[in-house]
Every structure is written in structure tokens, then in C-alpha cells.
Amino acid sequence: MRNSTYTLRLSAAVAATALTLTACGGAGEGEDTEGGAGEEGGSYSIGITQIVSHPSLDEARDGFKAAFEDAGLEVEWDEQNAQGEQATASNIAGTFASSDMDLIHAIATPTSQAAAQAITDKPIVFSSVTDPVEAGLVESWEEPGANITGASDLNPVMEQFELLQEIAPEAETVGIVYSSGEANSEVQVELAQEAADELGLEIQEATISNSSEVQQGVESLDVDAIWVPTDNAVVSALESVLQYGQQNSIPVIASEGDSVIRGSVATYGLNYGDLGRQAGEMAIRILEDGEDPASMAVETLEELELTVNPEAAEAMGVELDQELIDRADVVVGEDVDAEDPAAGDEAADEEE
């Protein structure tokens, strides 16, 4: 990280505005990995259900597991990936419901909803869920009320739009491609519209139903800049958005750092590895200390990162001010290597 880390008291914002956003989803491949025996005394059996694989959700998964490793706890992991299919997520949840697992970790909103519907006698800890109240997972942020709680990836949308204006001050229109099937994506778009109204920007929307429609959606836009929400389908096919931005000199602003590493211009957002670790620490308190999910407030990350990608900016026709680069926490190409968009396409093809 570079210079000072941006801090946003998201929980206060939640209480004040009752926001609702989407969660980026995805995890590792659908396979089992063992790390111990499901016994008492610091050894547990935990199921992980993830809606789809992309870097942000994968980092959340890894962060969750790292919390247990750091705590010296043995875990037998059962990791399952729904590959973007809600029906598969429901089947995974049903399998976990009939198991003798000690706890379930659900990554992203669709898998969390499936788990909450199927599993009532085991604790569930989610991560990468933007608004658990709007998603119907908890009764309130402060008092979830049932067997589920977790860590939210509530997004600083206004700050991201202010960053967009700083990078592209002449932009008047901002395009957003999002999945009509994700309630939290719709919430993020509402927040984006509020931010745009306040900043004097116009929003153009393109809705999709799955990742294969992202290219068509982005090509339907006629805008000066693009903002990518934490939408699972869109982030899974981010390379289509990046390619469009490069070909048309339209800067793409992301909602999380991994998308900047992949080729977006910048973001002011959270670290999904830290988010997953925070969810893991909550799970440990449930298993080791006997805390009740029903009374464990949903948590958010307070530390946010400004991530910039000067090379991606140049490819999209904008030049980042040196002052912005100097105050960034992460500069792609200096603090972390950029990812090759072509590699992302190849990985997506292999997954399909």
C-alpha cells in the first residue's frame, strides 16, 4: 500500500441510509480439500458454497480459510462452486443441509440466499453480500435474527463517482452494465443514480441476464465513461468491458481492486481478501466462543483502498495525474503486477 489508506465508516452509512448493493460472487473449483478431521476441540468440518469464480470472490474464499489457518484450527473443507447457476447453488445448499458440517460459508448473494433457505440448523456466515436485509438474509444489520450473519461488501459508490470525475472531468454520461437478476446490483445502480444526480452526470443502463450478454450490453452504450458495479456476471466477463473501453477511448472505473489489476483504470474500494478474513474471524467466534449468529451484527470493512492502473488509463485515452498516483494505496505495475486480459479470456473459456 502507498501513503494513507482511505477510511469510510460504512456501518454508520448503513444505519443512516439503509443501502442495498450487489455482491460480487465466485470461488474456487468445485472440489473437496481436506485440512483435518471433523471433531471437537478446535477441529471442524466447514462447507464453502460460491456462486462463480472470479478474482474478488476467490480472494474472499482464501481470506476466510486463512483466518482459520492463522488461528491454528484444523478444518476439513468441502468447497463447491455453482458456476453461475442458481439451481446448482440450491443443490449445493441442499447437500450441505443434510450433512453433519459444523458451519457453512456462503460467498455472494445468490449462494447465501440458497443456503439460508435450505439450512436452518447450522450456522451460516456469508461474505461478499452487499445488502443482506434487501436480500432477505437477515432481519436487520444489527440483529440478524436467525442462524446467519456475515461480512458485507457495501460499496462506496459516491466516492467512486467522485473518483471518476477526477479522472475524466469532461465526462457527462456514465454507462452501467448490470445483471437484472441480482437484486443487489439494482440497488447499486440506484445508488449510482443518486451519486450521478448530485454530481451532474447522466446514467445510461444496459441490463443483462448472464455473462455471455456483457459484450452486447456494453456495445449498446453511448457514453463518456463506464462504471462497473460488483455484479457477478459482469465482473466474470470484465474483459469484454475493458476491450470496449480501450477500443473507444472510454475509461472504465471499477468497484474493487481486482478489476483494476485486470485492466480497469481505478477504484476506491475494499479488499476482498480482507473481507473474507473478517468473515472467517466471525465464524471462529461462533465455533470457538459460542457466539450466536442471530445477535452478531453484520460487519463491514472500514479500511478502503485507492487502486490505480496508469497503463490501463493510457490504453483508454486518459492520463492519471501524478498527485492521484502518489496518494494511491496500490499502483498497478509498481505495487502489484497487472493481469493480462487475454489470460482472463482463456480462463473464462476453460471454465465454460
Side-chain angles (χ1 to χ4, degrees):
M1 293 186 185
R2 297 161 59 95
N3 298 328
S4 59
T5 300
Y6 286 67
T7 302
L8 184 65
R9 300 289 176 179
L10 292 181
S11 27
V14 170
T17 59
L19 303 179
T20 358
L21 308 179
T22 7
C24 258
E29 303 303 319
E31 60 184 21
D32 297 350
T33 56
E34 295 187 359
E39 302 173 353
E40 294 182 355
S43 183
Y44 302 100
S45 175
I46 297 177
I48 297 180
T49 175
Q50 185 171 329
I51 189 59
V52 71
S53 288
H54 61 66
S56 297
L57 298 185
D58 293 349
E59 283 199 11
R61 177 199 66 219
D62 294 344
F64 184 86
K65 295 172 67 176
F68 282 83
E69 182 177 353
D70 292 346
L73 299 175
E74 293 186 14
V75 179
E76 179 182 339
W77 300 102
D78 186 344
E79 301 178 47
Q80 301 295 328
N81 192 311
Q83 306 296 343
E85 297 293 334
Q86 186 62 47
T88 304
S90 296
N91 289 337
I92 293 170
T95 300
F96 283 178
S98 61
S99 74
D100 59 356
M101 292 177 181
D102 298 300
L103 182 139
I104 307 301
H105 178 44
I107 303 175
T109 300
T111 39
S112 298
Q113 290 172 323
Q117 291 172 3
I119 303 167
T120 58
D121 60 346
K122 302 176 182 66
I124 304 169
V125 176
F126 60 74
S127 69
S128 309
V129 171
T130 305
D131 191 323
V133 175
E134 182 71 14
L137 297 174
V138 300
E139 294 178 5
S140 73
W141 288 75
E142 296 78 15
E143 294 284 340
N147 63 317
I148 183 169
T149 186
S152 163
D153 62 351
L154 183 62
N155 217 15
V157 177
M158 174 59 79
E159 286 79 359
Q160 291 168 0
F161 269 69
E162 291 173 340
L163 178 63
L164 185 153
Q165 276 199 324
E166 181 178 358
I167 290 170
E170 297 182 359
E172 297 180 354
T173 55
V174 180
I176 305 175
V177 181
Y178 69 98
S179 174
S180 58
E182 288 200 34
N184 284 337
S185 292
E186 295 177 355
V187 172
Q188 288 185 78
V189 174
E190 292 177 5
L191 294 173
Q193 186 63 65
E194 293 175 6
D197 290 343
E198 185 169 334
L199 298 173
L201 297 169
E202 177 186 342
I203 296 294
Q204 286 188 21
E205 302 174 13
T207 59
I208 61 168
S209 57
N210 55 61
S211 59
S212 67
E213 298 177 359
V214 171
Q215 182 173 347
Q216 179 180 353
V218 73
E219 289 177 349
S220 72
L221 299 172
D222 181 16
V223 295
D224 302 317
I226 295 172
W227 175 73
V228 181
T230 55
D231 182 294
N232 294 313
V234 179
V235 175
S236 296
L238 181 64
E239 282 66 34
S240 295
V241 182
L242 300 178
Q243 185 179 48
Y244 181 81
Q246 293 169 3
Q247 292 175 344
N248 296 277
S249 297
I250 298 174
V252 177
I253 304 300
S255 293
E256 36 74 35
D258 288 305
S259 291
V260 180
I261 296 173
R262 291 167 68 185
S264 301
V265 173
T267 192
Y268 176 60
L270 55 85
N271 181 299
Y272 274 81
D274 292 343
L275 184 73
R277 184 181 294 272
Q278 186 165 341
E281 292 170 351
M282 296 178 72
I284 291 170
R285 300 205 313 265
I286 292 171
L287 295 173
E288 290 283 287
D289 303 333
E291 291 196 30
D292 184 0
S295 58
M296 293 177 67
V298 175
E299 297 184 4
T300 57
L301 280 180
E302 294 182 353
E303 298 295 328
L304 303 176
E305 295 177 345
L306 173 61
T307 305
V308 299
N309 189 330
E311 184 176 342
E314 182 178 357
M316 295 178 188
V318 296
E319 182 178 353
L320 300 182
D321 289 341
Q322 188 60 47
E323 186 274 335
L324 176 64
I325 296 174
D326 289 343
R327 77 172 195 261
D329 298 289
V330 178
V331 177
V332 179
E334 295 182 14
D335 301 319
V336 62
D337 291 335
E339 289 186 8
D340 181 3
D345 288 335
E346 292 172 3
D349 291 341
E350 290 176 3
E351 187 172 311
E352 292 175 2

